[in-house]
Amino acid sequence: MNLIKGITIKNVKGHSNLSLAFTDLVANYVSIFVAPNGFGKSTIAQSFKSLKANKLELNKDDFFENKVENIPEIELNIILEEAGRLKLTANPEKNELKEYLYTDVITSLLTAKTASAGGTVKYAKMAMKNIVLYDSIPSKVEFPYDIKIFRRSSKILSKHFVDLKELLKDTENLYLIYENYSLFSGFNLKKRSQKLIEEFYNSVSEIGIEENFVYNEHGLTNNSDFIEICRIVKSFRRIEHYYSSELELVLTILQIISITVLKKSELSGYIKRIQYEKIKVELNEQLKILNTTNRTIKAKEKSGKFIVEFLSPNKISNGERDVLSFIASLTLFKIKINKNVGILIIDEIFDYLDGGNLLVAQFYLAKLIEELKAEGKFIFPIVLTHLDPMLFKNFYLKRQRIHYLKHCSYREDEGIINLLLYRNNKNDLSDKVQKYLLHYHNDNYVFTNEEKTILNCIEHRSSYSFYEAAQQELEKYLNNQEYSPLMVLCATRIMIEKQIFDLITDDNAKEDFLSTHTTNMKILFAESKGVNVPGEYYLLQPLYNDGLHLNQNTSETQNKIISSYLKLNNHVVSSILQRLDEQTLFILQSR
């Protein structure tokens, strides 16, 4: 498994030492780094963006405290399948990451340019940087393959030669030939091999019919080099579509061997050209599909380079600009990655996309991961965001993991976790848990010993004692003491429901309120009865709605607790809860 264990960044932007530890930052999963503004996400992005081939080179303004004597450094603690556990360092003197990893950062391409308004008047104008996909366009290479040559070489065998044109356009197949070039080329050039091939053609021609062909009765098919070449060819993508008999397999292999009349450098050039042509077509198809400006935005050849030129920002919507540039940047990463492992930092691009473009961006990111995986490459896509996915529900990837970067100091409470999980059982007891503990009820329900044994997660004899415990956790929270976030959420919901209950004057309506499911529906019911529900109660819904619904997924539960803590760790939220606490009088009975 390829796994990042830690990232430490020193003396970059506002941080003298930013140290992050991880337990599950796994390759080929999208890792979502969540942190508030000011935490250091820009420090992470700028550090990796400043990596050069042989050193870490910062702009003057990016040094900690703007002092060049503060030496910047990246330390990466990583486990790689091929190299084991490594501690790699980059600083102004060296870049150890480059030996094992390709790194890149995708960020906004918007930039400010100076423009003239006439005379000496100047003003700042927003512009989009172009994306240079190829600094030089790969040259065309004549490919030495023509099925007609093989079919003309033998009338008897002509129908058994399958056209391999499309098979040999697949760069993965060509890479297999390139990586084993000495084997293919060596076999092709050896006199002994040529003699075996000639003997094979003569023998098969004498047999005359395919049914009489026996694979192992030929010197060619028993040759050790040919056997190894056959093994490699059988691993080609879609090779099974290019032969239907053992005879056709041998003839297909002989056709493939023949292309190594190209020098290795020429074969490499041909592969690069094939890749270029494929990327050119695919990228322009993608840009065309997503372009709604009715203006041409496409990748094109210009001055010997292959680039994507964008319109002026005032001629394209922000969302369209961001998603088009993101897709082009993903394509650039795919072209440039020259190692088997890569790190791709995506700096807050997702935070400013609308719903449709957000889905599109995630689709193409997942597609990139799968395409590189098919090539035997692993990447760590790291998305930097200040938007909590547990709150905004804005990430939908199959393979994603959320990492909250801000340190959270809270008390884990297994009792409330187990209680929240138990209510998913949907039985009489779980209904009582829902009715008397997780929502407010004016009756003080006392649990039997049998019920307490079944729950095995409740220390409190009655519902009122549970309310009191929840309020005590709220007091700890308000007094900056260690607290249980989930119990604070329970207290919040119970206080809101009790206040609304007290504002309902009709006894029948009170009973209907208590029997109404979910806090949201209770609020709407109360509003329908003329209760003026404070707007703050609506604003607190993300707290008690999201955090109090758990499942058996331990990682997701942990993320929900951290997400709840981060929401509570806000001065505005705490001031709202302070007022709510002061306004609420719990009707508590002694236990």
Side-chain angles (χ1 to χ4, degrees), residues 104 106 131 133-134 278-280 282-284 286-287 299 306 308 324-337 344 364 368 371:
D104 199 6
I106 297 178
I131 295 180
L133 298 165
Y134 283 88
K278 182 180 178 183
I279 285 169
K280 182 178 179 180
E282 288 181 353
L283 178 58
N284 280 327
Q286 292 166 5
L287 295 176
F306 186 55
V308 180
L324 290 174
S325 63
F326 178 70
I327 289 167
S329 297
L330 290 180
T331 301
L332 179 62
F333 182 85
K334 183 180 177 182
I335 294 168
K336 296 292 185 182
I337 185 170
L344 177 61
Y364 282 105
L368 173 72
E371 287 175 349

Coordinates of all heavy atoms in Angstrom, one line a residue, residues 104 106 131 133-134 278-280 282-284 286-287 299 306 308 324-337 344 364 368 371:
D104 N 2.5 18.2 -8.3 CA 2.0 19.4 -9.1 C 0.9 20.0 -8.2 O 0.3 19.3 -7.3 CB 1.4 19.0 -10.4 CG 1.3 20.2 -11.4 OD1 1.7 21.3 -11.0 OD2 0.8 20.0 -12.5
I106 N -2.7 22.4 -8.6 CA -3.7 23.0 -9.5 C -4.3 24.2 -8.6 O -4.9 23.9 -7.6 CB -4.8 22.1 -9.9 CG1 -4.2 21.0 -10.8 CG2 -5.9 22.8 -10.7 CD1 -5.2 19.9 -11.3
I131 N -2.7 27.5 -20.5 CA -2.1 26.3 -20.0 C -1.2 25.7 -21.2 O -1.8 25.4 -22.2 CB -3.1 25.3 -19.6 CG1 -3.9 25.8 -18.3 CG2 -2.5 23.9 -19.3 CD1 -4.9 24.9 -17.8
L133 N 0.4 22.7 -22.5 CA 0.4 21.2 -22.4 C 1.6 20.6 -22.9 O 2.1 19.6 -22.3 CB -0.9 20.7 -23.1 CG -2.2 21.2 -22.5 CD1 -3.3 20.8 -23.5 CD2 -2.5 20.6 -21.2
Y134 N 2.1 21.1 -24.0 CA 3.4 20.6 -24.6 C 4.2 21.8 -24.9 O 3.8 22.7 -25.7 CB 3.2 19.8 -25.8 CG 2.7 18.4 -25.6 CD1 1.3 18.1 -25.5 CD2 3.5 17.3 -25.5 CE1 0.8 16.8 -25.3 CE2 3.1 16.0 -25.3 CZ 1.7 15.8 -25.2 OH 1.2 14.5 -25.0
K278 N -3.9 11.5 -29.2 CA -5.1 11.0 -28.4 C -5.5 12.1 -27.5 O -6.7 12.4 -27.3 CB -4.7 9.8 -27.7 CG -5.8 9.2 -26.8 CD -5.3 7.9 -26.1 CE -6.4 7.4 -25.2 NZ -5.9 6.2 -24.5
I279 N -4.6 12.7 -26.8 CA -4.9 13.8 -25.8 C -5.5 15.0 -26.5 O -6.5 15.6 -26.0 CB -3.6 14.2 -25.0 CG1 -3.3 13.1 -24.0 CG2 -3.8 15.6 -24.3 CD1 -1.9 13.3 -23.4
K280 N -5.0 15.3 -27.6 CA -5.5 16.5 -28.4 C -7.0 16.3 -28.7 O -7.8 17.2 -28.5 CB -4.7 16.6 -29.7 CG -5.2 17.8 -30.6 CD -4.3 17.9 -31.8 CE -4.7 19.0 -32.7 NZ -3.8 19.1 -33.9
E282 N -9.2 14.0 -27.3 CA -10.0 13.8 -26.0 C -10.2 15.1 -25.3 O -11.4 15.4 -24.9 CB -9.3 12.8 -25.1 CG -9.4 11.4 -25.6 CD -8.7 10.4 -24.6 OE1 -8.1 10.9 -23.6 OE2 -8.8 9.2 -24.8
L283 N -9.2 15.9 -25.2 CA -9.3 17.2 -24.4 C -10.2 18.1 -25.2 O -11.1 18.8 -24.5 CB -7.9 17.8 -24.2 CG -7.9 19.2 -23.5 CD1 -8.6 19.1 -22.2 CD2 -6.5 19.8 -23.4
N284 N -10.1 18.3 -26.5 CA -11.0 19.2 -27.2 C -12.4 18.7 -27.2 O -13.3 19.5 -27.2 CB -10.4 19.4 -28.6 CG -9.3 20.4 -28.7 OD1 -9.3 21.3 -27.9 ND2 -8.4 20.2 -29.6
Q286 N -13.8 17.2 -24.6 CA -14.2 17.5 -23.3 C -14.5 19.1 -23.2 O -15.5 19.5 -22.7 CB -13.2 17.1 -22.3 CG -13.0 15.6 -22.1 CD -11.8 15.3 -21.4 OE1 -11.0 16.1 -20.9 NE2 -11.5 14.0 -21.3
L287 N -13.6 19.8 -23.7 CA -13.8 21.3 -23.7 C -15.0 21.7 -24.5 O -15.7 22.6 -24.1 CB -12.5 22.0 -24.2 CG -11.3 21.8 -23.4 CD1 -10.1 22.5 -24.1 CD2 -11.4 22.4 -22.0
A299 N -7.8 23.4 -27.2 CA -6.4 23.3 -27.2 C -5.9 23.3 -28.6 O -6.5 22.7 -29.5 CB -6.0 21.9 -26.6
F306 N 1.7 23.3 -27.7 CA 0.3 22.9 -27.7 C -0.3 23.5 -26.4 O 0.1 23.2 -25.3 CB 0.2 21.4 -27.6 CG -1.2 20.9 -27.7 CD1 -2.1 21.2 -28.8 CD2 -1.7 20.0 -26.7 CE1 -3.4 20.7 -28.8 CE2 -3.0 19.5 -26.8 CZ -3.8 19.9 -27.9
V308 N -3.8 25.7 -24.3 CA -5.2 26.0 -24.1 C -5.2 27.5 -23.8 O -4.7 28.0 -22.8 CB -5.9 25.2 -23.0 CG1 -7.4 25.7 -22.9 CG2 -5.8 23.7 -23.2
L324 N -13.4 24.4 -16.8 CA -12.6 24.2 -18.0 C -11.1 24.2 -17.7 O -10.3 23.3 -18.2 CB -12.9 25.2 -19.1 CG -14.3 25.1 -19.7 CD1 -14.6 26.3 -20.6 CD2 -14.5 23.8 -20.5
S325 N -10.7 25.1 -16.9 CA -9.2 25.2 -16.6 C -8.8 24.0 -15.7 O -7.7 23.5 -15.8 CB -8.9 26.5 -15.9 OG -9.6 26.6 -14.6
F326 N -9.7 23.5 -14.9 CA -9.4 22.4 -14.0 C -9.2 21.1 -14.9 O -8.3 20.4 -14.7 CB -10.6 22.1 -13.0 CG -10.4 20.9 -12.2 CD1 -9.4 20.9 -11.2 CD2 -11.2 19.8 -12.3 CE1 -9.2 19.8 -10.4 CE2 -11.0 18.7 -11.5 CZ -10.0 18.7 -10.5
I327 N -10.1 20.9 -15.9 CA -10.0 19.7 -16.7 C -8.7 19.8 -17.6 O -8.0 18.8 -17.7 CB -11.2 19.6 -17.6 CG1 -12.4 19.2 -16.8 CG2 -11.0 18.6 -18.7 CD1 -13.7 19.3 -17.4
A328 N -8.4 21.0 -18.0 CA -7.1 21.2 -18.8 C -5.9 20.9 -17.9 O -4.9 20.3 -18.3 CB -7.1 22.6 -19.4
S329 N -6.0 21.3 -16.6 CA -4.9 21.1 -15.7 C -4.7 19.6 -15.3 O -3.6 19.2 -15.2 CB -5.2 21.9 -14.4 OG -5.2 23.3 -14.7
L330 N -5.9 18.9 -15.2 CA -5.8 17.5 -15.0 C -5.1 16.8 -16.2 O -4.3 15.9 -16.0 CB -7.2 16.9 -14.9 CG -7.9 17.2 -13.6 CD1 -9.3 16.5 -13.6 CD2 -7.1 16.8 -12.3
T331 N -5.4 17.3 -17.4 CA -4.7 16.7 -18.6 C -3.2 17.0 -18.6 O -2.4 16.1 -18.9 CB -5.3 17.3 -19.9 OG1 -6.8 17.1 -19.9 CG2 -4.7 16.7 -21.1
L332 N -2.9 18.2 -18.2 CA -1.4 18.5 -18.0 C -0.7 17.6 -17.0 O 0.4 17.1 -17.3 CB -1.3 20.0 -17.6 CG 0.1 20.5 -17.4 CD1 0.9 20.4 -18.7 CD2 0.1 21.9 -16.9
F333 N -1.4 17.3 -15.9 CA -0.8 16.4 -14.9 C -0.6 15.0 -15.5 O 0.4 14.4 -15.3 CB -1.7 16.3 -13.7 CG -1.2 15.4 -12.6 CD1 -0.3 15.9 -11.7 CD2 -1.6 14.1 -12.5 CE1 0.2 15.1 -10.7 CE2 -1.1 13.3 -11.5 CZ -0.2 13.8 -10.6
K334 N -1.6 14.6 -16.3 CA -1.5 13.2 -16.9 C -0.3 13.2 -17.9 O 0.3 12.2 -18.0 CB -2.8 12.9 -17.6 CG -2.9 11.5 -18.3 CD -4.2 11.3 -18.9 CE -4.2 9.9 -19.6 NZ -5.5 9.7 -20.3
I335 N -0.1 14.3 -18.6 CA 1.0 14.3 -19.6 C 2.3 14.3 -18.9 O 3.3 13.6 -19.3 CB 0.9 15.6 -20.5 CG1 -0.4 15.5 -21.4 CG2 2.1 15.8 -21.3 CD1 -0.7 16.8 -22.1
K336 N 2.4 15.1 -17.8 CA 3.7 15.4 -17.2 C 4.2 14.3 -16.2 O 5.4 14.2 -15.9 CB 3.7 16.7 -16.5 CG 3.4 18.0 -17.4 CD 4.6 18.2 -18.3 CE 4.4 19.5 -19.1 NZ 5.6 19.8 -20.0
I337 N 3.2 13.6 -15.6 CA 3.6 12.6 -14.5 C 4.6 11.6 -15.1 O 4.4 10.9 -16.0 CB 2.4 11.9 -13.9 CG1 2.9 11.0 -12.8 CG2 1.6 11.2 -14.9 CD1 1.7 10.5 -11.9
L344 N -0.9 15.3 -6.2 CA -1.6 16.4 -6.9 C -2.4 17.2 -5.9 O -3.4 16.7 -5.3 CB -2.6 15.8 -8.0 CG -3.4 16.9 -8.7 CD1 -2.5 17.9 -9.5 CD2 -4.4 16.2 -9.7
Y364 N -14.1 14.0 -13.6 CA -12.9 13.9 -14.4 C -11.7 13.6 -13.4 O -10.7 13.0 -13.9 CB -12.7 15.2 -15.1 CG -13.5 15.3 -16.4 CD1 -14.6 16.1 -16.5 CD2 -13.2 14.5 -17.5 CE1 -15.4 16.1 -17.7 CE2 -13.9 14.5 -18.7 CZ -15.0 15.3 -18.7 OH -15.8 15.3 -19.9
L368 N -9.3 10.5 -14.0 CA -7.8 10.5 -14.1 C -7.2 9.5 -13.2 O -6.2 8.8 -13.6 CB -7.4 11.9 -13.6 CG -5.8 12.1 -13.4 CD1 -5.1 12.1 -14.8 CD2 -5.5 13.3 -12.6
E371 N -7.5 6.1 -15.0 CA -6.6 6.0 -16.1 C -5.2 5.8 -15.7 O -4.5 5.0 -16.3 CB -6.8 7.3 -17.0 CG -8.1 7.4 -17.7 CD -8.3 8.7 -18.4 OE1 -7.5 9.7 -18.2 OE2 -9.2 8.9 -19.2

